[in-house]
């Protein structure tokens, strides 16, 4: 099933054609909170394209790019890669996707990430999903993840938790202060977490697609036209 979540529009500089701006939802949460897992479900149900900043960075390492070694050593230390690199990868991925609705997972991880994305793309997120999960649970999940990731070892995990508290949580708090965060209790089983996630996307759909209002408006216009036509016809017939 694919359900729509509204796409924001903005007037182009010349004010003529309305250009569609992509809808972006940032998916945040500590390492192991379940961001990737839930994004896969959201894609299935709501027609988004999912980009994980971490996956894009790992792809860059694998491609043998000139930034590969730098990215690899930063990831192994649990550090946040310079925004210039990550934003470029995200922008390219969005441009090439052909979609207009994106889930961006694991980004922004610090304020520099947040500001760079806004400056480069001109896009602000429609909203932010925040997966709230206790550290012990996240640690357990990562240690059982078995994806062969170099940074899924206890030493790096602890460093990533520290970076999350120091640099990433303040970004969540910033979005909270402007009313954009939907906080989800992520410590429950996958299906239960997704029920909450689904409720968020469904309620946003209802807000951005006010069938009632849009239809009422067009119905009203049609009625006005009908009255005018009938007035003209009657007027003409009656020789006014
Ligand atoms: N709600 C959940 N309960 C138990 N395990 C989960 C849950 N969500 C995800 N997992 C598992 O935990 C690990 C981390 O999930 P993942 O989606 O990769 O998290 P993140 O992208 O936030 O690091 C994976 O092995 C995943 O299968
Ligand atoms: N915006 C981002 C996202 C990830 N990363 C790096 O990639 C690592 C893994 O990110 P990830 O999102 O795949 O990790 P999880 O939260 O999914 O466990 C991070 O610890 C950072 O080193 C980054 O530098 N900047
Ligand atoms: Mg992930």
């Amino acid at each position: 099933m694919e359900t729509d979540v509204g796409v924001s529009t903005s007037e182009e500089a010349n004010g003529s054609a309305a250009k569609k701006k992509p809808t972006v939802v940032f998916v945040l949460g500590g390492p192991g909170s379940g961001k990737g897992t839930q994004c896969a479900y959201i894609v299935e149900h709501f027609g988004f394209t999912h980009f994980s900043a971490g996956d894009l960075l790992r792809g860059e390492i694998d491609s043998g790019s000139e930034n590969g070694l730098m990215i690899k050593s930063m990831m192994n230390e649990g550090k946040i890669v310079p925004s210039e690199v990550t934003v470029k990868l995200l922008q390219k991925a969005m441009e090439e996707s052909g979609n207009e609705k994106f889930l961006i997972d694991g980004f922004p991880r610090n304020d520099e990430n947040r500001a760079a994305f806004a400056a480069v793309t001109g896009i602000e997120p429609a909203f932010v999903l925040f997966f709230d999960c206790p550290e012990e649970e996240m640690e357990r999940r990562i240690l059982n993840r078995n994806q062969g990731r170099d940074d899924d070892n206890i030493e790096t995990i602890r460093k990533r938790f520290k970076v999350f508290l120091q640099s990433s949580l303040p970004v969540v708090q910033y979005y909270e202060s402007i009313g954009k965060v939907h906080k989800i209790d992520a410590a429950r089983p996958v299906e239960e977490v997704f029920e909450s996630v689904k409720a968020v996307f469904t309620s946003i759909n209802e807000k951005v697609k006010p069938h009632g209002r849009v239809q009422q408006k067009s119905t009203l216009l049609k009625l006005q036209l009908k009255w005018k036509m009938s007035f003209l016809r009657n007027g003409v017939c009656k020789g006014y």
Side-chain angles (χ1 to χ4, degrees):
M1 185 183 70
E2 187 175 299
T3 314
D4 222 357
V5 168
V7 174
S8 50
T9 59
S10 69
E11 292 295 310
E12 269 181 342
N14 65 14
S16 55
K19 189 173 181 270
K20 272 182 179 174
K21 244 193 188 188
T23 296
V24 165
V25 175
F26 287 146
V27 181
L28 303 178
S33 57
K35 301 181 292 296
T37 304
Q38 293 297 323
C39 282
Y41 281 92
I42 301 167
V43 164
E44 229 177 82
H45 286 73
F46 296 97
F48 278 74
T49 295
H50 167 218
F51 293 120
S52 150
D55 286 349
L56 290 172
L57 290 166
R58 281 184 283 276
E60 196 64 358
I61 298 174
D62 295 342
S63 77
S65 102
E66 56 177 340
N67 283 325
L69 281 180
M70 176 273 287
I71 298 172
K72 192 178 167 72
S73 78
M74 294 201 79
M75 276 179 139
N76 286 344
E77 284 300 307
K79 289 184 180 157
I80 299 170
V81 173
S83 302
E84 192 199 343
V85 173
T86 318
V87 170
K88 232 181 238 168
L89 290 171
L90 285 169
Q91 196 182 26
K92 184 162 173 271
M94 289 197 296
E95 279 168 10
E96 289 174 356
S97 79
N99 200 349
E100 288 162 342
K101 303 193 304 183
F102 303 103
L103 292 173
I104 300 191
D105 138 22
F107 182 98
R109 253 180 162 91
N110 61 12
D111 198 58
E112 193 211 20
N113 270 184
R114 183 192 65 72
F117 186 85
V120 171
T121 66
I123 300 168
E124 292 293 341
F127 61 94
V128 174
L129 272 188
F130 171 52
F131 292 117
D132 189 26
C133 195
E135 216 168 272
E136 315 83 73
E137 175 64 15
M138 295 196 284
E139 186 176 304
R140 236 188 326 269
R141 290 180 188 177
I142 296 176
L143 291 174
N144 288 319
R145 180 151 57 181
N146 289 328
Q147 285 177 354
R149 277 173 53 173
D150 289 345
D151 58 346
D152 281 354
N153 62 79
I154 192 64
E155 202 188 325
T156 311
I157 290 168
R158 296 266 154 87
K159 288 181 183 166
R160 287 157 67 196
F161 285 154
K162 232 184 214 166
V163 169
F164 173 67
L165 291 178
Q166 279 172 359
S167 305
S168 311
L169 261 189
V171 176
V172 177
Q173 283 155 359
Y174 163 75
Y175 284 121
E176 243 165 7
S177 76
I178 57 169
K180 284 206 168 175
V181 172
H182 292 274
K183 184 163 146 179
I184 309 280
D185 173 5
R188 298 166 294 155
V190 174
E191 294 72 18
E192 272 183 43
V193 175
F194 187 60
E195 282 307 307
S196 303
V197 169
K198 207 158 64 176
V200 170
F201 279 83
T202 306
S203 87
I204 299 285
N205 263 346
E206 275 158 17
K207 270 188 218 143
V208 296
K209 286 216 157 170
H211 301 290
R213 240 186 352 179
V214 172
Q215 275 171 7
Q216 271 164 20
K217 202 173 166 194
S218 70
T219 308
L220 201 67
L221 282 173
K222 271 187 206 148
L223 269 176
Q224 280 174 342
L225 195 67
K226 220 170 153 187
W227 289 330
K228 268 188 194 152
M229 296 290 284
S230 123
F231 175 78
L232 278 174
R233 257 198 315 272
N234 289 336
V236 170
C237 288
K238 288 177 184 164
Y240 294 140

